[in-house]
Amino acid sequence: MYKAEISRKNPGCFLFLVDQSESMEDPFGGAESDRRKADELATILNRLIHNLSIRCAKSDSIYDYFCVGVLGYNEQEAQPVLGGALSGRDIVPISDLANNPLRIEDRNKKVDDGTGGLVDQSVKFPLWFDPTCSGGTPMCAALRSAQNVCQHWTVEHAKGFPPIVINITDGESTDGDPIQEAKNLCEIATDDGPVLLFNIHLSSKSGQPIELPSSADGLPDQYATQLFEMSSKLTPFMLSRAREMAMDVSEGARGFVFNAQPVQVIQFLDIGTRPANLR
Amino acid sequence: MSEKERFSVAEFYCGKRGGAPEEYEDAYASRSSAGTLRVAIADGATEASFSRLWARLVVESFVRRRLAGPEFFQRLEGPRRLWRRRAWQKPLVWYADEKARQGAYAAFLGLTLDVQNHRFQAVAIGDSCLFHLDRRSLEMRLLCAFPLAHSQEFGSTPFLLATRPMGETRHGQVVEGAVRPEDVFLLATDALAAWMLKRREEGWPVWKRMATELSGQAEFLEVVEEARADGARNDDMTLLRIVFHG
């Protein structure tokens, strides 16, 4: 299982479920924070799409190694939330995303100057998603929408690597217990294995970030525990890739993080030789 | 015997199955002058940009210069400058620009054969491999596998030669030794090299086939198909064969 090659002919699929409920207006990572959970979510999602685009960039073009969908959930339902030219589409090739951000800002980034120091470098900073929050947290509805998208994907890509669904939320579902819907989602499969569900928990609680735990012991609240239980175990390749990236993971680690920015997650799928010295 | 008659070089290559021709990112080159044969093979990293360009520039640089040892890795400013100039010869869209700024990477293996003195020296960074074979022995004895000697040593994240200095001194490896008439050198990129080592470990070596029986590109493509059916990674595969006649 989870051995299917990812290539332009057999692309991988990332489906993001993003919590846009009113509770995402609350502070992130502690009551005194001036940063909202919705801001953190937007940062994570933009960074993941950004990094995924860079990963697929090849010389002066971009290869469609992946397709990406973003479903937002609030009020009573989940729906595609990519904007601009991608409005209304649930799954798009990475090249369409890379070529159609909402806007591109100029920002400064510290980079290695080659002699051990850091210098400012102007970089283009594309944005696909702005924070928004209102209404409830229909996580069960979001997982059902994900089931629909994944059903279609697995029929069309029956021999390919199964979709990876990444749910970014504060965990407070308002339409029931999401565990059963998560199980239903993870029963959808290609010939290569079932759908993988990862959860990124953004909490108002302060505390150390937690990345890819293998047990629920020490998680800060029932929402974190619930999201951990919903999360898939990392595949053997993902475990080895995480270790290569110096992450502290053990057997049975699950795709769950608490108050952390899991930018490494997009490296968890193999698209070919990755130099050890590429940072 | 003229210098040209003292060795022969054959080249074989195949891109990834299902890949377009521009996705072939290996490179190879050979050149002889003044009693020295220089051959090089490089394997551009899939996950980096402009890798094929970088692979071509480093093999050309190796065969055109006289730096046979690890000092080659210290004198790469020329090809690095050329890579930057060619990568940005036209404006790049944001993702192409940012990816190119991360640099290009390639596994590299260079072999220098001193025809007069019957000596060889090889340098390597990454997982392209050299196999030195004794063709006179019945079973075609493997004298040296460099820099990797076991199929289990191949991974998906090797340290590679980059378009900016990144500690090549620590990672560059060197091997040297004597060469006798009828010895054969095979230089192979990683997926093929790993399969050849695996076949040896399983007791079914393919040295003889690769060193003496392979006569053309069509036969090489048959070997590639067989290797992939036998579990070899779907990757570019390139083989250089050098026979030293004495």
Side-chain angles (χ1 to χ4, degrees):
Chain A
M1 283 208 301
Y2 302 115
K3 294 266 177 70
E5 176 185 270
I6 292 175
S7 64
R8 288 194 282 182
K9 281 195 171 173
N10 301 293
C13 172
F14 283 101
L15 177 62
F16 296 100
L17 307 180
V18 296
D19 183 346
Q20 296 181 300
S21 67
E22 195 172 337
S23 59
M24 297 298 283
E25 185 88 48
D26 295 341
F28 168 69
E32 38 320 311
S33 169
D34 57 1
R35 192 168 166 73
R36 302 174 304 164
K37 289 184 276 190
D39 300 324
E40 183 69 8
L41 184 151
T43 299
I44 289 172
L45 184 58
N46 283 316
R47 187 166 291 181
L48 286 170
I49 296 174
H50 185 147
N51 289 2
L52 210 48
S53 303
I54 299 297
R55 196 168 177 219
C56 295
K58 199 72 186 161
S59 299
D60 56 0
S61 66
I62 183 165
Y63 286 4
D64 284 323
Y65 290 126
F66 299 107
C67 289
V68 177
V70 185
L71 303 180
Y73 56 100
N74 62 2
E75 308 297 349
Q76 307 297 320
E77 58 178 11
Q79 57 194 350
V81 289
L82 289 172
L86 308 175
S87 199
R89 295 173 64 186
D90 55 6
I91 290 279
V92 299
I94 189 67
S95 59
D96 282 359
L97 264 173
N99 287 313
N100 292 285
L102 291 177
R103 59 189 181 277
I104 298 181
E105 298 177 355
D106 285 308
R107 298 192 184 178
N108 280 332
K109 179 180 168 186
K110 299 276 185 204
V111 295
D112 187 348
D113 66 0
T115 61
L118 294 173
V119 291
D120 277 326
Q121 186 181 69
S122 174
V123 292
K124 300 291 181 193
F125 200 87
L127 296 165
W128 290 268
F129 183 81
D130 286 317
T132 174
C133 26
S134 66
T137 310
M139 200 183 302
C140 294
L143 291 164
R144 283 193 294 273
S145 294
Q147 291 163 24
N148 287 334
V149 173
C150 290
Q151 282 285 10
H152 281 111
W153 179 272
T154 54
V155 167
E156 289 174 7
H157 303 84
K159 294 188 181 308
F161 199 98
I164 296 181
V165 179
I166 300 179
N167 179 33
I168 314 176
T169 176
D170 65 5
E172 301 171 29
S173 174
T174 54
D175 66 346
D177 183 345
I179 287 185
Q180 187 55 48
E181 294 297 350
K183 283 183 181 161
N184 294 344
L185 174 63
C186 293
E187 283 173 3
I188 298 166
T190 67
D191 294 350
D192 192 46
V195 167
L196 295 165
L197 172 61
F198 295 167
N199 287 281
I200 300 172
H201 186 187
L202 304 177
S203 171
S204 291
K205 284 191 160 64
S206 58
Q208 286 295 312
I210 298 168
E211 291 183 304
L212 310 178
S214 53
S215 112
D217 294 346
L219 295 180
D221 58 28
Q222 78 270 26
Y223 301 116
T225 303
Q226 187 176 56
L227 289 171
F228 171 84
E229 286 175 11
M230 288 162 56
S231 301
S232 303
K233 287 182 180 171
L234 299 188
T235 68
F237 177 84
M238 291 172 177
L239 274 175
S240 66
R241 179 56 63 89
R243 287 177 182 135
E244 283 167 5
M245 293 188 292
M247 300 177 77
D248 183 17
V249 290
S250 52
E251 290 300 316
R254 297 202 190 191
F256 170 80
V257 305
F258 173 81
N259 282 3
Q261 290 211 0
V263 288
Q264 299 94 333
V265 76
I266 60 151
Q267 304 297 345
F268 283 0
L269 293 182
D270 189 17
I271 57 172
T273 302
R274 178 177 172 78
N277 38 336
L278 173 62
R279 294 286 179 253
Chain B
M1 192 183 288
S2 74
E3 184 180 315
K4 289 273 181 194
E5 291 169 329
R6 300 183 72 174
F7 53 81
S8 59
V9 180
E11 300 147 348
F12 310 92
Y13 64 94
C14 179
K16 299 173 191 72
R17 183 180 51 230
E22 72 269 19
E23 288 184 71
Y24 174 74
E25 295 180 300
D26 288 353
Y28 53 87
S30 64
R31 196 163 195 246
S32 68
S33 69
T36 302
L37 171 67
R38 300 166 68 76
V39 295
I41 193 168
D43 175 1
T46 320
E47 280 240 13
S49 226
F50 296 102
S51 293
R52 183 167 63 152
L53 170 62
W54 176 234
R56 285 180 178 173
L57 290 172
V58 286
V59 296
E60 284 298 329
S61 175
F62 183 82
V63 301
R64 289 178 183 282
R65 294 157 79 189
R66 294 181 182 211
L67 303 168
E71 66 274 15
F72 171 71
F73 298 128
Q74 305 305 313
R75 309 274 181 83
L76 288 168
E77 195 38 51
R80 282 174 170 145
R81 198 168 39 239
L82 200 51
W83 179 84
R84 288 193 293 272
R85 196 184 309 152
R86 292 203 192 159
W88 277 279
Q89 65 186 351
K90 60 182 182 180
L92 296 175
V93 68
W94 72 268
Y95 46 79
D97 180 67
E98 191 169 334
K99 183 68 168 272
R101 289 186 198 211
Q102 293 180 356
Y105 298 78
F108 175 83
L109 172 65
L111 170 70
T112 303
L113 186 58
D114 182 342
V115 177
Q116 307 290 354
N117 299 306
H118 292 204
R119 301 284 302 171
F120 77 92
Q121 185 175 42
V123 291
I125 282 184
D127 51 10
S128 290
C129 286
L130 171 76
F131 303 116
H132 181 192
L133 301 161
D134 174 3
R135 199 163 73 155
R136 286 155 310 178
S137 65
L138 199 60
E139 288 302 315
M140 191 145 276
R141 192 160 56 96
L142 177 67
L143 301 169
C144 163
F146 167 81
L148 304 180
H150 302 281
S151 61
Q152 294 300 319
E153 294 178 70
F154 292 80
S156 61
T157 57
F159 185 96
L160 300 177
L161 188 59
T163 48
R164 54 198 159 118
M166 300 182 90
E168 289 80 8
T169 317
R170 279 180 286 117
H171 292 274
Q173 298 188 66
V174 187
V175 69
E176 55 191 348
V179 54
R180 297 193 298 176
E182 298 309 310
D183 277 2
V184 178
F185 293 97
L186 300 176
L187 284 72
T189 48
D190 62 336
L192 181 59
W195 177 72
M196 289 160 76
L197 286 169
K198 180 173 92 85
R199 286 291 298 256
R200 175 179 184 248
E201 291 154 11
E202 291 169 349
W204 301 98
V206 289
W207 306 128
K208 192 174 172 192
R209 187 171 171 195
M210 305 299 245
T212 64
E213 296 167 8
L214 203 58
S215 62
Q217 182 69 8
E219 282 178 32
F220 181 67
L221 296 181
E222 287 175 16
V223 171
V224 168
E225 282 309 308
E226 183 185 325
R228 287 175 181 162
D230 189 30
R233 204 152 48 87
N234 179 22
D235 196 0
D236 298 333
M237 289 192 182
T238 301
L239 179 75
L240 295 190
R241 181 179 64 202
I242 297 97
V243 181
F244 180 56
H245 300 301

